[in-house]
Amino acid sequence: MTDHLVIDAGSDSSTTPAEPGADSAVTAVTKPRSEPLQRSGTPAPPRRWVRAVAFVAVLFTAWHVFASFLWIAPPSPLREVVPGKALSSYMLPFFGQSWSVFAPEPINGDYHFNVRAVIVEGGERVETGWVSATDVELSMIRYNLTPPRAGIQSSELASDFKKAWDALGDQQRAILAERYVGNADQLRADLEGSITEGEGASVTADQVDAYLQQEQRSVAYATQVARAIWGPSVEEVQVRVSRQNIIPFGQRHNPEAKRPEPKISLDGWREPRVNPGQNEDNFARVFREQYERMRQQ
């Protein structure tokens, strides 16, 4: 039997020869394509949603770089281009950075936030020893590739507290060393009464107010630390902040060089304080676990 080749006249495609020895005719018909082929080497245009996502990503990247520049750079009127508290709300707490990590004035000292308390134990009031909240927090981030933000809270708090404390005079610091439990309003009155009016005044009402704001934050944090360690029987808390400079740069190669003695800011006894929004249970769970882990090392 002779092989046959049948061609569809309506097709533009080429034909294929029949295999030898076939018993029947082989028909090679190629159907016309419904869509034109894209020319070789020309990619299809991206979909609309891809272009929209890319556009949003570019805008966000530009905003983040600009916001980081404003935040890291020394304070200037340029920050006013971002209205209200939008800049600080965006940068804190996740993207916060400080210009002090760069020259000409890099960080050259360590801050420590220490807490002790008066607790009720066996029906008697007992004064505890000092606990460094900073050491507990730093143990969370040491040798940790994904350090939590909670590892630097007390250091930042100690820095702000000491700056406000250093701005006051000896007369105000003597007042702060007194015990004010149950009479927080009296502390403000005593501090404001110690201010000398006139051009020669070394301490202003704004400086006193700035310190009291930092003390309220510090006492609230100290309350959380004390209750996390000693439980709900805490009746009074006391805050001690210290700053110790590193070995001066010029003595870095001197094997006998020692760090300067720490400078201490000591507050008096205060009643426990809880600020709105604090979650004492969550704080106590995390801090207590880390405190016990650090003691066992």
Side-chain angles (χ1 to χ4, degrees):
M1 181 180 290
T2 306
D3 293 334
H4 296 279
L5 182 64
V6 180
I7 301 176
D8 185 356
S11 173
D12 295 335
S13 62
S14 60
T15 61
T16 57
E19 294 182 358
D23 294 334
S24 61
V26 178
T27 304
V29 180
T30 303
K31 295 183 179 180
R33 298 181 182 273
S34 58
E35 295 182 0
L37 289 173
Q38 190 73 23
R39 289 187 177 180
S40 176
T42 304
R47 298 174 181 267
R48 290 184 178 180
W49 69 267
V50 175
R51 288 180 291 190
V53 170
F55 180 73
V56 172
V58 170
L59 288 181
F60 175 77
T61 302
W63 155 250
H64 181 76
V65 172
F66 180 65
S68 299
F69 167 77
L70 292 180
W71 188 258
I72 297 173
S76 68
L78 187 60
R79 286 191 179 185
E80 297 177 3
V81 300
V82 182
K85 297 182 178 180
L87 181 62
S88 59
S89 298
Y90 174 75
M91 295 301 298
L92 298 176
F94 299 107
F95 305 121
Q97 300 180 61
S98 174
W99 174 255
S100 58
V101 301
F102 304 104
E105 295 182 358
I107 295 175
N108 60 354
D110 299 325
Y111 286 94
H112 277 267
F113 190 97
N114 300 277
V115 178
R116 67 176 177 176
V118 172
I119 62 176
V120 177
E121 194 172 66
E124 297 183 356
R125 286 166 53 88
V126 179
E127 185 178 296
T128 70
W130 290 102
V131 171
S132 174
T134 304
D135 286 345
V136 176
E137 289 186 351
L138 289 178
S139 67
M140 298 181 186
I141 63 178
R142 188 175 291 116
Y143 311 122
N144 190 344
L145 294 178
T146 56
R149 180 72 181 180
I152 60 174
Q153 295 301 309
S154 65
S155 298
E156 294 181 348
L157 188 60
S159 175
D160 294 339
F161 178 91
K162 194 166 193 321
K163 290 177 182 177
W165 193 87
D166 289 343
L168 302 179
D170 293 338
Q171 187 176 358
Q172 289 77 37
R173 294 171 189 169
I175 295 173
L176 296 175
E178 299 294 330
R179 177 178 176 272
Y180 286 89
V181 176
N183 56 348
D185 293 338
Q186 186 62 42
L187 172 60
R188 175 178 288 275
D190 291 346
L191 287 174
E192 292 177 348
S194 67
I195 299 175
T196 303
E197 301 292 341
E199 296 182 358
S202 59
V203 178
T204 65
D206 289 341
Q207 290 173 321
V208 168
D209 187 64
Y211 171 80
L212 289 174
Q213 291 182 20
Q214 294 302 327
E215 182 181 280
Q216 290 174 2
R217 293 177 58 211
S218 298
V219 170
Y221 184 81
T223 300
Q224 287 188 308
V225 171
R227 289 178 175 172
I229 297 175
W230 298 294
S233 63
V234 174
E235 293 191 344
E236 299 179 26
V237 295
Q238 188 176 20
V239 172
R240 183 183 69 188
V241 169
S242 64
R243 186 185 193 281
Q244 186 178 23
N245 288 347
I246 62 174
I247 295 175
F249 183 79
Q251 303 179 24
R252 65 190 184 281
H253 298 308
N254 184 359
E256 298 181 357
K258 296 181 179 180
R259 300 183 66 174
E261 291 295 322
K263 296 180 180 180
I264 296 176
S265 302
L266 182 63
D267 218 1
W269 289 100
R270 305 288 186 262
E271 62 182 326
R273 177 184 179 88
V274 178
N275 287 335
Q278 289 185 191
N279 191 319
E280 291 193 336
D281 292 337
N282 285 345
F283 183 93
R285 175 178 54 81
V286 175
F287 193 91
R288 177 72 186 186
E289 179 181 350
Q290 192 65 28
Y291 173 73
E292 294 293 346
R293 183 182 295 114
M294 188 185 70
R295 293 180 62 187
Q296 296 172 1
Q297 291 177 351

